[in-house]
Amino acid sequence: MSETLIVLDSLAERRSKYHEADVVVVGAGVFGCAIAYALAGQGRSVILLERWMKEPNRIVGELMQPGGVNSLRKLGLGHCIEDIDAVTCNGFNVFFYGENVRMPYPQIQGLLGMDGGKAKKTGKDKEDGPRPQGKSFHHGRFITQLRKSCLEHPNISVFETEVVSTIKGDHNPEILGVETRTTNATTGEKEKDCFFGQLTVVADGYASRFRKQFIPETVPVVRSKFYALELIDCQLPSPGFGHVIIGASSPVLLYQIGSRETRVLVDVPEKLPEASPANGGVRGYMKNVVLPALPESVRPSFKAALEKDTKIPQSMPNSWLPPTRQSVPGAVVLGDAFNMRHPLTGGGMTVALNDVVLLRDLLAPQNIPDLADTLAVRRAMNDFHWQRKRLTAIINVLAMALYSLFSARNEELAKLQRGCFHYFKKGVTRDPMGMIGGLIPDPLVLAYHFFSVAFVAIWLDWRTTGLWKVPVLFWNAFWILWTASVVFLPVMYRELLI
């Protein structure tokens, strides 16, 4: 025991005095804290750097799907969603022009969850035991708990400092650590500092300043923004469920994040006519288009929140950044800096935490005793790139495809949107909710259901148009299938095969 304490004290001194460790993690967000804690739990010496240690105020990262909860618990961080006034999420309630379908997370017989296994490709919901549950909460409270866990870990030293650049070797491209600017508590001036590690993990978020240095695909695709309101004492139609409202020009999300607070996220596509300055901007869109489309019980609290503050609501860009293999020795970019999807389905934290579980196992000391072995780390990162796809490809493609359908910017997409809701209304919700929840790691299940929705859309179109217009029916069917393919296949190819 005494020898162990001596080693821990020695490593802690090297971190605090010389700023040296096995791993330097840039960014103490969801991914950064989780990977720091996971690697420290394996005996690695870890330095965690964060520009601003005060509780953050963000409008995304507030809904964790069951798959994310599973991974959080695997990492020994399940306590971080306790005692923060988190709310249990049992699934989603989808509203479509006055109709609604409640879709609980499924307990699928034979499903092996995050570690493998396949689900049946068809069938309605079936009670096979307790259903998985997600959690929703104030993002800042969750981050504070993650950081507290890192601060208390004997193998982690946390520094509040701004990372400004990476440090390279003189004769090779290997990253040796990072250069930072740390505020002197006495003078208030920022002073140069350096931190060194055998491996540098950059997890500095969606607006990463280092992404372009490590990966070739650096510019996320942004099609819209989420504008947020916080509703107080909102009467949700289905307490304990997230709500998706289809009926405005673009989807609206509602989910409870505290005992009294409900988050509403209003998607506003770029150059949306209804949100133009002539129509009152974003606030005018919320008042004139979104408010009438909401369930009646939600409208009073939504209106009160809109009237409470006359400023433009807080917003976040909704981005898609497909994953890319990395080859810079000594460093990797991960988290939102590496891979993003539209937050419509709330899959971001599930992807991040599943990535941490995979990476923890691949970089384990029994596999890679010395992280300075850049070739071994590169092989592990190549395995990581392909192994993660089975789950993350589903979450990413589903988020982008459903957003295209739910925002429905043309006639064919509107038909697919109607077909999707009818598909859910028929009771086929088990697999779709299993995929949204991060519980079914099988891309073939996603492909099956997506094109099943397309054929339901064709059947509804035929029923509406009339069977006697045969040439028109086949022409419409072709365009519906073509649109479904354009929405689904390019994203699926980019996420799964590259």
Side-chain angles (χ1 to χ4, degrees):
M1 180 64 73
S2 61
E3 291 180 1
T4 301
L5 291 175
I6 291 172
V7 171
L8 288 176
D9 289 343
S10 175
L11 292 174
E13 182 183 14
R14 294 200 67 80
R15 294 195 298 269
S16 61
K17 188 175 181 179
Y18 301 107
H19 293 178
E20 294 179 356
D22 296 327
V23 184
V24 173
V25 179
V26 179
V30 175
F31 187 92
C33 287
I35 192 64
Y37 192 88
L39 296 180
Q42 296 176 327
R44 307 284 193 188
S45 179
V46 180
I47 289 174
L48 178 60
L49 308 177
E50 171 57 38
R51 180 171 60 93
W52 190 249
M53 284 295 289
K54 291 188 177 180
E55 184 170 294
N57 177 27
R58 290 186 66 193
I59 62 171
V60 295
E62 296 176 313
L63 174 61
M64 185 181 294
Q65 300 287 1
V69 174
N70 290 346
S71 292
L72 193 71
R73 289 173 178 155
K74 288 181 183 179
L75 295 168
L77 291 167
H79 60 277
C80 293
I81 51 175
E82 306 297 333
D83 301 321
I84 58 171
D85 197 25
V87 178
T88 297
C89 181
N90 298 300
F92 282 86
N93 195 359
V94 181
F95 286 77
F96 181 75
Y97 296 99
E99 295 185 87
N100 72 289
V101 173
R102 194 158 71 171
M103 304 164 58
Y105 297 119
Q107 179 63 51
I108 302 175
Q109 187 176 10
L111 180 67
L112 298 179
M114 303 292 290
D115 298 320
K118 295 184 179 181
K120 296 178 182 179
K121 297 178 183 177
T122 60
K124 301 182 180 182
D125 284 336
K126 180 180 179 181
E127 294 289 349
D128 294 318
R131 292 180 183 274
Q133 294 178 326
K135 288 285 185 178
S136 52
F137 39 73
H138 289 269
H139 174 81
R141 296 176 187 174
F142 175 54
I143 294 297
T144 297
Q145 291 294 93
L146 288 174
R147 291 175 178 176
K148 181 180 177 181
S149 295
C150 290
L151 285 164
E152 294 174 348
H153 200 293
N155 289 338
I156 302 175
S157 294
V158 182
F159 296 85
E160 187 174 58
T161 186
E162 182 182 5
V163 180
V164 294
S165 65
T166 56
I167 300 172
K168 294 183 180 180
D170 292 334
H171 305 293
N172 59 58
E174 182 178 351
I175 303 299
L176 304 178
V178 294
E179 181 181 326
T180 75
R181 296 291 181 270
T182 304
T183 302
N184 186 305
T186 303
T187 65
E189 298 293 324
K190 289 189 175 182
E191 300 175 352
K192 180 180 176 179
D193 215 339
C194 293
F195 295 85
F196 298 94
Q198 295 174 339
L199 177 65
T200 299
V201 177
V202 178
D204 58 340
Y206 76 95
S208 173
R209 67 191 299 173
F210 297 104
R211 182 186 295 126
K212 63 182 179 181
Q213 182 178 340
F214 295 98
I215 55 180
E217 195 155 344
T218 62
V219 182
V221 176
V222 178
R223 294 167 56 185
S224 66
K225 288 184 177 180
F226 261 147
Y227 289 83
L229 293 175
E230 186 175 290
L231 313 186
I232 304 299
D233 297 329
C234 175
Q235 300 299 313
L236 290 172
S238 298
F241 281 74
H243 293 66
V244 182
I245 315 300
I246 308 170
S249 297
S250 208
V252 177
L253 298 183
L254 296 108
Y255 48 90
Q256 201 170 345
I257 57 174
S259 53
R260 296 190 61 200
E261 303 86 14
T262 295
R263 172 69 69 209
V264 57
L265 296 174
V266 177
D267 185 84
V268 180
E270 293 182 332
K271 300 179 181 179
L272 182 68
E274 294 90 336
S276 66
N279 289 316
V282 171
R283 289 177 56 82
Y285 172 66
M286 288 184 171
K287 180 180 179 181
N288 301 324
V289 180
V290 174
L291 181 60
L294 296 175
E296 189 173 349
S297 64
V298 175
R299 294 174 193 171
S301 56
F302 184 89
K303 185 176 180 182
L306 195 59
E307 293 174 348
K308 181 180 179 180
D309 193 345
T310 58
K311 298 178 182 178
I312 297 175
Q314 188 178 356
S315 67
M316 288 281 288
N318 296 326
S319 307
W320 176 48
L321 181 68
T324 306
R325 278 183 285 186
Q326 302 173 50
S327 59
V328 177
V332 290
V333 175
L334 295 164
D336 280 351
F338 161 65
N339 181 207
M340 289 182 282
R341 77 294 309 148
H342 196 287
L344 175 68
T345 58
M349 288 189 289
T350 298
V351 169
L353 294 169
N354 180 67
D355 282 354
V356 173
V357 171
L358 284 174
L359 203 56
R360 175 199 63 180
D361 296 341
L362 289 167
L363 297 179
Q366 59 267 31
N367 297 325
I368 305 179
D370 186 359
L371 292 175
D373 185 349
T374 56
L375 290 178
V377 172
R378 182 179 296 184
R379 286 193 296 268
M381 292 306 301
N382 185 67
D383 291 341
F384 168 78
H385 178 79
W386 293 108
Q387 288 181 24
R388 71 188 294 272
K389 286 180 178 293
R390 194 171 177 214
L391 178 72
T392 59
I394 292 175
I395 293 174
N396 293 346
V397 174
L398 191 59
M400 301 308 297
L402 283 179
Y403 176 69
S404 294
L405 267 59
F406 288 178
S407 57
R409 309 311 297 173
N410 60 46
E411 185 179 355
E412 282 72 33
L413 285 172
K415 291 176 180 179
L416 285 166
Q417 180 189 87
R418 182 177 60 170
C420 185
F421 182 78
H422 190 83
Y423 196 65
F424 296 155
K425 192 176 176 182
K426 287 174 60 180
V428 188
T429 64
R430 182 181 61 183
D431 286 358
M433 285 306 298
M435 290 184 287
I436 288 174
L439 300 169
I440 300 180
D442 190 344
L444 292 178
V445 174
L446 174 58
Y448 172 86
H449 284 287
F450 190 83
F451 284 101
S452 293
V453 165
F455 283 105
V456 169
I458 291 171
W459 175 72
L460 290 175
D461 184 60
W462 285 22
R463 192 176 68 173
T464 303
T465 306
L467 295 177
W468 58 277
K469 296 183 178 180
V470 174
V472 174
L473 294 178
F474 279 102
W475 178 254
N476 290 349
F478 168 78
W479 279 111
I480 290 172
L481 279 175
W482 174 262
T483 303
S485 299
V486 168
V487 166
F488 181 80
L489 293 178
V491 180
M492 190 69 166
Y493 172 77
R494 182 59 186 83
E495 288 282 350
L496 190 62
L497 299 178
I498 294 181

